[in-house]
Amino acid sequence: MRTAIRAVGTDSVLAHRTMISTEFASRKLRRKFAADGVRESIVAAGDLLTRKRLGRPVFDPLVEHGVVRTVSRDTLESVASETVTVPGDDEEQSPPFVALIENGRILSETGLVLTPQLEIVEESAAAPDQAQQAMMAMLSRQLFYGDAPLRDLLSGPRPGSTRGAAGSLDIAAPLVPRYPNYYHWIVETVPKIRYIRAFEEATGERVTLLVPPDAPPFVDETLELLEWPESRIEYATAPAYDVSRLVVPSFPERRAEDFGWLRRAVLDSAPETTPKSGDNVYVSRANAVERRVVNEDEVMDVLSRFGFSCYLLEEQSLERNARLFADADIVVGPHGAGLTDIVFADGCTLVELFGDKVKQPYRLLAATLGVSYEPMYCRAESADIVVDTTTLEETLREMQSQ
C-alpha cells in the first residue's frame, strides 16, 4: 500500500486560494433556487452568512462572559455519572470514550447535548480544537432550520408558547451529523456506533440511537449494513428530547481503527460488482449546485484511456459505492462529499480536483487511511471548474510509471 502524500504548492498559496469565496456565485445561486426554491435558498444563505462571517464575533463573547455555558472534554468526566473507555490499538491518540449524563437534553436538528444545567457539551459538537467554531455553527443551524426557536430549546418554552414539547427517552445517544452531508455522516458520526457498542458491552445497557427523521437514504443504509436493530432507532420528530440517561460518545478524530471497522463491516455484506468499463473511478458532480466540471466530456475522453468509469454516486447504494472504491486503483473527482468513500479503498490513489475553493479534509483523510493523494489545481469558472486535460493525462501517466 502506498502511503506517500506529495505536497503541491505552499501553505500560503493554499490559504490565499481558500480566501477566494464562491459561496454566492450567481451560477450556484441559480441552481440552488431551481433545486430548493427561493425560501429554502434564503434560509440556507442566512445560515451560511452567520456561520462564515457573523457567528463568532457574537458567540465568543457570550461564552467568555458566561451567558452561554459549555462543558469541555476535560471537565466532562466530572459531569458524567459514568465514563467508559473504548478499547483499541492506537497508541498515538488518546482512546475514544463514552460518557453518561443523567437527565440531559438533545437538540434534534444538530444533535447538540445539554446538561441539566443547560450547558452545551462540547464533545457533541467537535473535538476540543474545533469545538468553539462547531458549536457556533450548530447553533446557527438550530436557529435557521430547527422546528422551534433556539431560545425556547435552551430555556424551555415561554408561557403561552404553542411550540411542540420535547420528547422523552430513557437511555439514548444522538446520531445526528453536525451538517447533513455524507462526509460528516461517515467520518464524524458513524464511528460513534463503534464507541456506543463498546459502552453496551461494558455496561450491559442497550442504547437507542436518535437519528434525523428526514435523513438521506445513506443513513438508513448504514444502520442496516451495521446491523443496528430497528427497535433501537428513534427518528427525531420532536424539536428536542429529554433523556434520563444520555449517552455521549467522544467526537471521532479520524482514526484508522474506526475506518477499518467500518470498511470490514460494510464490505462483508457488499456484493461483488462489475465495473462499467474499468476499475478506476471518476466521481461526477454533474447534479451538484457547485464544483461541476465544465469540460467533463473532454475529461472522460482522457480518463477512459486509463480504465476509468464515470459515476454519479448519489444515484447508487452505499454498498455498491463502497465496492467500487474498494476495487479502484485510482479515484479522480472534484472536491466534494463523494470522495468520502475512499474509506473503503485499499491501496488506491486519490486525485482531488480544486477550483478556487481549496479545503483539506480529504488530504487529511487520505493520510489517516494510508491512501496516496494528489491535488490538482484547476481554473475556476464561477462556481465550477475547468480541468486542464493535458496536465491530467500527464499526472495519470506519471502514476502508471511508478
Side-chain angles (χ1 to χ4, degrees):
M1 179 181 292
R2 291 174 291 172
T3 58
I5 296 179
R6 191 172 73 180
V8 177
T10 64
D11 289 344
S12 61
V13 172
L14 294 177
H16 175 71
R17 285 176 175 268
T18 304
M19 290 173 62
I20 304 173
S21 175
T22 58
E23 295 293 355
F24 296 102
S26 59
R27 186 179 297 179
K28 176 182 176 180
L29 291 175
R30 286 197 302 271
R31 291 172 184 161
K32 185 76 173 172
F33 288 152
D36 299 336
V38 174
R39 180 184 179 278
E40 286 300 314
S41 298
I42 291 174
V43 170
D47 175 46
L48 179 66
L49 187 62
T50 300
R51 288 189 285 113
K52 299 289 187 181
R53 296 287 185 267
L54 306 177
R56 289 296 293 272
V58 173
F59 181 73
D60 289 358
L62 293 178
V63 174
E64 183 180 347
H65 293 93
V67 178
V68 174
R69 294 169 296 156
T70 68
V71 174
S72 68
R73 176 178 290 182
D74 290 339
T75 58
L76 180 56
E77 188 171 356
S78 64
V79 173
S81 59
E82 185 175 1
T83 303
V84 172
T85 299
V86 178
D89 300 324
D90 188 346
E91 298 179 355
E92 296 183 2
Q93 293 176 285
S94 58
F97 64 90
V98 178
L100 185 66
I101 295 177
E102 305 288 340
N103 301 314
R105 173 171 282 200
I106 301 171
L107 306 186
S108 299
E109 180 64 38
T110 57
L112 276 176
V113 168
L114 308 180
T115 69
Q117 290 73 40
L118 302 178
E119 302 157 310
I120 301 173
V121 177
E122 295 181 4
E123 202 66 38
S124 65
D129 61 335
Q130 298 178 348
Q132 197 91 334
Q133 173 67 26
M135 285 187 293
M136 179 278 298
M138 293 167 80
L139 288 173
S140 172
R141 180 165 185 84
Q142 194 72 49
L143 177 65
F144 282 94
Y145 291 95
D147 291 331
L150 184 59
R151 60 179 176 272
D152 288 0
L153 291 171
L154 292 173
S155 60
R158 292 168 295 170
S161 172
T162 58
R163 293 285 181 175
S168 62
L169 294 167
D170 178 24
I171 179 165
L175 201 71
V176 181
R178 56 178 174 172
Y179 303 113
N181 170 286
Y182 186 64
Y183 171 87
H184 294 285
W185 170 252
I186 291 291
V187 175
E188 299 176 346
T189 310
V190 171
K192 294 179 182 181
I193 297 176
R194 185 172 84 90
Y195 310 164
I196 293 167
R197 282 183 168 155
F199 173 84
E200 291 184 329
E201 290 175 8
T203 63
E205 300 284 3
R206 290 296 175 261
V207 179
T208 294
L209 300 180
L210 185 68
V211 301
D214 54 353
F218 56 72
V219 170
D220 285 339
E221 285 184 73
T222 307
L223 295 174
E224 182 177 352
L225 288 167
L226 296 179
E227 299 181 342
W228 191 272
E230 288 186 37
S231 60
R232 291 195 282 119
I233 300 173
E234 178 79 17
Y235 293 95
T237 56
Y241 282 80
D242 294 323
V243 184
S244 300
R245 293 174 294 166
L246 205 166
V247 176
V248 183
S250 59
F251 191 85
E253 298 182 76
R254 284 194 301 270
R255 300 172 189 272
E257 195 168 7
D258 288 342
F259 301 130
W261 159 80
L262 176 61
R263 186 178 190 276
R264 290 188 298 271
V266 171
L267 292 180
D268 281 350
S269 60
E272 296 289 340
T273 61
T274 302
K276 294 178 181 178
S277 59
D279 287 335
N280 293 326
V281 173
Y282 170 70
V283 179
S284 174
R285 286 181 59 87
N287 293 336
V289 298
E290 62 179 335
R291 297 192 301 280
R292 296 182 187 180
V293 173
V294 175
N295 59 331
E296 191 162 85
D297 289 343
E298 290 85 352
V299 168
M300 282 309 304
D301 285 342
V302 172
L303 293 179
S304 61
R305 300 199 293 270
F306 293 87
F308 279 82
S309 299
C310 178
Y311 295 95
L312 292 163
L313 298 182
E314 67 274 16
E315 296 181 355
Q316 302 186 156
S317 69
L318 188 156
E319 62 179 354
R320 174 164 169 73
N321 292 339
R323 180 60 65 186
L324 286 174
F325 276 68
D327 294 339
D329 293 321
I330 307 173
V331 174
V332 174
H335 173 77
L339 303 184
T340 304
D341 281 330
I342 62 169
V343 299
F344 302 111
D346 182 15
C348 85
T349 296
L350 172 63
V351 180
E352 184 173 14
L353 309 176
F354 290 107
D356 277 340
K357 183 188 294 185
V358 177
K359 294 186 176 182
Q360 304 304 315
Y362 299 107
R363 178 183 67 81
L364 298 173
L365 183 57
T368 300
L369 296 166
V371 168
S372 296
Y373 178 81
E374 294 280 352
M376 183 172 170
Y377 303 112
C378 307
R379 178 169 62 85
E381 185 177 290
S382 185
D384 298 328
I385 62 177
V386 179
V387 177
D388 184 325
T389 54
T390 300
T391 302
L392 177 62
E393 183 169 3
E394 291 172 352
T395 299
L396 295 173
R397 291 199 184 282
E398 183 180 344
M399 289 179 187
Q400 282 189 332
S401 66
Q402 291 177 349

